[in-house]
Amino acid sequence: MNYTKIIRLNTLPFAENVRVYSTDRLVVTAMAGPMDLLTPVMRVQQAEGAVSLTSAVDSWSFGQGNYLVISHIQPAMWPPKRSEPMLAIAEVVGAVALENPGLLGETVFEGVVVVNHQVIHQPNGPVRLATPTQLNPEAFSATLRRALDDVGRLGLEDLERFRLASRWYVRGLEALNPVDKFLHWYIALEVYPAMGGDVVKSIQDLLREKVYPGVDKGKLKERLQLGTICNLRGDIVHKGLAIVDLPSSPRFDQAMQRLEALVPVCIRLITGLPPGTDLDRWVLGGEQG
């Protein structure tokens, strides 16, 4: 398996491609574009109530420029932990950045690439399947206008918090790595309602005031696993938890479910929108899983 990261370099054009470092697992090459690569992808097929997954190959093209190509190579029939290639490459990138300030530009690609016609799919996170919905353009337009009108009435401070919290929420939606999702969504809660204060207390106070006035703060903390969420964030940041490998941890999965529901509820409350029922199954229904 070849897991590769490609970073644009801030340098003058190369005369030729140069391998700058290699071991039995890592190959680091300074390369000049244009260049192409193939990457495996999963396609979700849904029709008449049936769902299937198929493999496909996407083509990536990189134009004129200079690139650092870092590849982590392992035998195709030996599936590694998902964290291994990402952390090994992060080590290389960190060393390059520390020794060569200003050399690295933006990352233009990271993932598994096709080598010698071997198609290996190893996603950075679980594959999610969702039931497709029928799009009603008129209803969609009306909902969007109503939401943006509510946002437009916010004061400057609330507007800035809405924008920033929304940015981190969307980054969590886009991330495949579950730990990246977790951190992005946690940061959204630090933006609001914590606003630099205690995350657990801020959530308890907000939900009790705006959504669940009859529920004790201690029950909110217990049923939404707020303490677990904060402790997991500490484990990720301070203990070096990089990714959750299969089999997944029930503790992490349950906390993630609550965190994913907490963030949109809190962001809606910035704008005065109805909070929704995302949290009801735990707070009111007493669901444990």
Side-chain angles (χ1 to χ4, degrees):
M1 185 189 78
N2 185 332
Y3 188 92
T4 295
K5 187 182 187 80
I6 302 177
I7 306 172
R8 193 179 298 277
L9 292 175
N10 299 318
T11 65
L12 295 173
F14 299 142
E16 58 184 10
N17 297 336
V18 179
R19 178 173 293 189
V20 294
Y21 180 82
S22 64
T23 67
D24 60 335
R25 292 283 172 82
L26 279 167
V27 177
V28 183
T29 308
M31 300 186 68
M35 58 184 179
D36 302 301
L37 62 80
L38 300 176
T39 181
V41 293
M42 297 292 288
R43 301 292 192 210
V44 180
Q45 311 289 335
Q46 295 179 305
E48 300 179 355
V51 178
S52 64
L53 294 176
T54 59
S55 294
V57 174
D58 273 353
S59 176
W60 289 67
S61 296
F62 305 95
Q64 295 288 342
N66 307 306
Y67 303 92
L68 189 69
V69 180
I70 310 167
S71 295
H72 187 273
I73 302 168
Q74 291 183 317
M77 300 308 294
W78 180 49
K81 289 185 176 181
R82 288 180 293 169
S83 59
E84 187 173 340
M86 287 179 281
L87 292 179
I89 288 176
E91 178 183 334
V92 174
V93 175
V96 172
L98 290 172
E99 292 295 330
N100 303 272
L103 176 64
L104 299 181
E106 74 275 18
T107 295
V108 296
F109 175 84
E110 181 170 355
V112 177
V113 300
V114 175
V115 178
N116 298 327
H117 306 290
Q118 292 179 336
V119 179
I120 302 170
H121 185 72
Q122 190 183 44
N124 291 332
V127 176
R128 284 193 172 189
L129 299 178
T131 303
T133 59
Q134 185 72 37
L135 178 64
N136 183 318
E138 292 78 13
F140 180 78
S141 176
T143 301
L144 179 59
R145 287 180 181 277
R146 185 165 59 250
L148 291 178
D149 286 345
D150 289 335
V151 171
R153 288 190 286 269
L154 295 175
L156 181 59
E157 182 177 349
D158 285 340
L159 177 60
E160 289 178 346
R161 291 200 180 278
F162 173 81
R163 287 174 171 173
L164 188 55
S166 295
R167 176 177 180 269
W168 286 109
Y169 175 55
V170 172
R171 289 191 68 179
L173 291 175
E174 294 171 343
L176 294 178
N177 183 323
V179 170
D180 289 347
K181 283 183 178 290
F182 191 97
L183 289 178
H184 293 334
W185 287 337
Y186 192 92
I187 292 172
L189 294 177
E190 290 183 311
V191 174
Y192 186 86
M195 297 185 288
D198 183 276
V199 172
V200 172
K201 183 178 185 303
S202 300
I203 294 171
Q204 288 175 303
D205 291 344
L206 178 68
L207 293 181
R208 194 157 189 269
E209 177 187 356
K210 302 287 189 180
V211 190
Y212 304 110
V215 180
D216 178 76
K217 289 183 180 180
K219 288 294 185 183
L220 284 172
K221 179 178 179 180
E222 175 187 349
R223 293 174 182 175
L224 295 178
Q225 298 186 5
L226 300 180
T228 298
I229 289 171
C230 288
N231 289 337
L232 280 169
R233 182 264 179 193
D235 289 344
I236 292 168
V237 174
H238 302 298
K239 295 183 180 180
L241 177 61
I243 197 166
V244 179
D245 288 301
L246 296 175
S248 60
S249 158
R251 176 172 176 258
F252 183 91
D253 291 345
Q254 291 172 17
M256 177 72 94
Q257 290 174 10
R258 288 157 172 81
L259 180 60
E260 183 174 4
L262 266 170
V263 177
V265 168
C266 291
I267 294 177
R268 290 181 195 123
L269 292 174
I270 299 177
T271 68
L273 289 169
T277 60
D278 307 55
L279 303 174
D280 286 0
R281 62 175 173 142
W282 298 296
V283 176
L284 302 180
E287 184 177 327
Q288 298 300 309

